Amino acid sequence: MDVFDTAIRIIRPDERNPMTVPAGERLYADHVLNGWLTSVGLGVEYTRAAGNTLYLNENGVEVPVLDHICGFGSLIFGHHDPEIVAFAKECLDRQVPVFAQLSVQSPTSEIAAKLNSIVRRETGDERAYSAVFANTGAEAIEICLKHAELERQERISALVAEIEANIDKARAAVRAGTVDRIEVTGPADGLPHDVTEFDALIAAVERRNAEVTAGRPVFLALTHAFHGKLAASVQLTHSPQWRAPFTALASTVRFLDPERPEAIRPAVNELRQILLDIELAGGVARMVARDFPAVGAFFVEPVQGANGMRPLSEHLVREIRAACDALGCPLVVDEIHSGMGRTGAFLASSHLGLRGDYYTLGKSLGGGITKASVALFSQDRFRPAFEVIHSSTFAKDGLSTAIAAKVLDMLEADDGLAYRTAAERGRRLRAMLDKVAADFPAVVTAVNGIGLMLGMEFADQARNGSEVIAEKARAGGLGHTLAGYVLRVHRVRLLPVGPSTNSVRFEPSIRLTDDEITQTEAALRDICSILRDQDGERLVTVA
């Protein structure tokens, strides 16, 4: 049973007659998620935020909480960075046009130029990229899905038109009596092959080709992937918890195991399909197979956030790139979570030597104030018609794009000081996590990640000697209960990684201080001691 099944079963905390409860409280009491958050110690309201700190109001006293979640990695410069806030206020004071759709919008061109320069520097790829803007990461993924299908359909149309032209030439040659024989081998074996049966052969070929072209595309992703929760993007998100209820809504996705790079090519070969074509050579009409673009795209996160912040291996990314080249499909590098400097480089994929045909970026692109994302398409693949076919009322609004351009300038300032800071702070945080793991080997099973995108995994506690701990582990709520404990006792905000409840995530801003790392270490050592000592009562006792 997962944590959200558990949440649905929670009895609401306020059992009074709902008709006697004030309206505001009744709304809270009827909200299942809020009730569940309260039950695990996370049902708090933050009243202010700055840097890596959120603030609670407890009996009129402001209490600081160290925030290691930072908007699920959306705050590379922290909450309300003064430079970004000042710039946003200036934009509003200047009354920049926020909504002026179907007009020239200079910030978007500026962002595209800056992104091209950064991508070229980090990857060595000289291709230019066109930018399509969106509001959220999941929307950027859906934009890539749509564009990949548009690209695929154009490839199919060109292939079908070429085959039809070849068939017409062969038909004319047969009728002119210049074809002596027909060669039918391989996948076409068994079809009519006598010259007198040419029309029957062509009818069979066209039926078979029509069946293939009518099929829906297959998209590829990795197990443990997280690419969003919208109707199409959720199909690429591996966890059945998010995906299973909605599998009928979109195209088929095949998930491949990132732990088995050697299995990528065989799996891809199984998906290859062909159309039948005819070549004329002298007096022979020869049936040949043409590769059909059955695969729409391959979606990859350089660092799998929902898999405990695990980076992909260089061997794996080489196999993925080779598979996409063989299939002719675009490789979509999802940098929504890992990009924007979080791993010590603008693109986490640059650590791995991974080059994409499409890229997605988001989260910190909005500076922690606005919602902004972008999909980049290599211009050798970009279809200009897409800018008309796809549109969004709120995408590339004047305020969010102005802030996005400002964020890019801040990341690139001082020869990339922000990237170096993320790498250095990440190393310092990682060293602390590794030290805690070494001191509690029976409790901590792994520390993963790059830069300021880190995860710590705990051993399964389903058989812990404390029934309190064991029951919460079996119910899927231990990770959130641990997070509630460190929030209450240590004023540190942690959350599990993705659907896993045996891990916690660390995604602070580059403003992380040594004192904050020390505060985090004390919190982690405390919960590791609780698990090691099987002290469930301390975990759930409210002081």
Side-chain angles (χ1 to χ4, degrees), residues 44-169:
V44 299
E45 182 177 359
Y46 298 103
T47 56
R48 190 166 71 87
N52 284 316
T53 306
L54 289 163
Y55 293 88
L56 296 169
N57 188 321
E58 292 187 349
N59 301 318
V61 177
E62 193 173 65
V63 178
V65 173
L66 171 58
D67 184 13
H68 273 290
I69 307 307
C70 279
F72 293 117
S74 298
L75 304 171
I76 193 66
F77 293 111
H79 293 278
H80 292 110
D81 175 81
E83 188 174 349
I84 296 173
V85 169
F87 179 77
K89 288 179 178 179
E90 189 227 324
C91 288
L92 294 174
D93 287 341
R94 284 191 288 114
Q95 297 181 322
V96 297
V98 177
F99 296 118
Q101 295 90 340
L102 286 179
S103 67
V104 175
Q105 296 168 290
S106 297
T108 60
S109 298
E110 180 185 353
I111 292 168
K114 289 177 180 179
L115 289 174
N116 268 276
S117 176
I118 295 169
V119 171
R120 189 177 301 113
R121 181 192 71 224
E122 289 211 349
T123 67
D125 192 338
E126 291 300 321
R127 291 181 297 176
Y129 287 81
S130 295
V132 176
F133 291 83
N135 304 284
T136 66
E139 186 184 348
I141 292 295
E142 302 230 348
I143 286 172
C144 289
L145 283 161
K146 287 179 65 178
H147 188 277
E149 179 59 6
L150 180 65
E151 182 184 340
R152 191 182 79 97
Q153 288 296 335
E154 289 193 9
R155 290 172 61 200
I156 291 171
S157 295
L159 178 58
V160 168
E162 186 179 342
I163 291 173
E164 288 176 347
N166 289 340
I167 288 174
D168 287 343
K169 290 179 184 177

Side-chain angles (χ1 to χ4, degrees), residues 3 458 472-473 476-480 482 496-503:
V3 66
F458 300 110
K472 289 188 177 297
L478 180 59
H480 292 88
L482 293 173
V497 178
S500 170
T501 62
N502 290 333
S503 60

Side-chain angles (χ1 to χ4, degrees), residues 64 75 95 124 182-183 219 312 320 331 334 338 360 403 443 534:
L75 304 171
Q95 297 181 322
I182 299 174
E183 290 185 1
F219 290 92
L312 303 184
I320 289 172
L331 171 54
D334 181 353
S338 59
T360 57
I403 290 174
V443 175
Q534 304 177 8

Side-chain angles (χ1 to χ4, degrees), residues 156 172 223 312 314 325 394 406 413 440 463 497 509 514 542:
I156 291 171
T223 56
L312 303 184
E314 293 185 18
D325 291 341
F394 294 110
K406 174 66 174 177
F440 292 89
R463 297 190 178 185
V497 178
S509 80
D514 286 345
V542 178

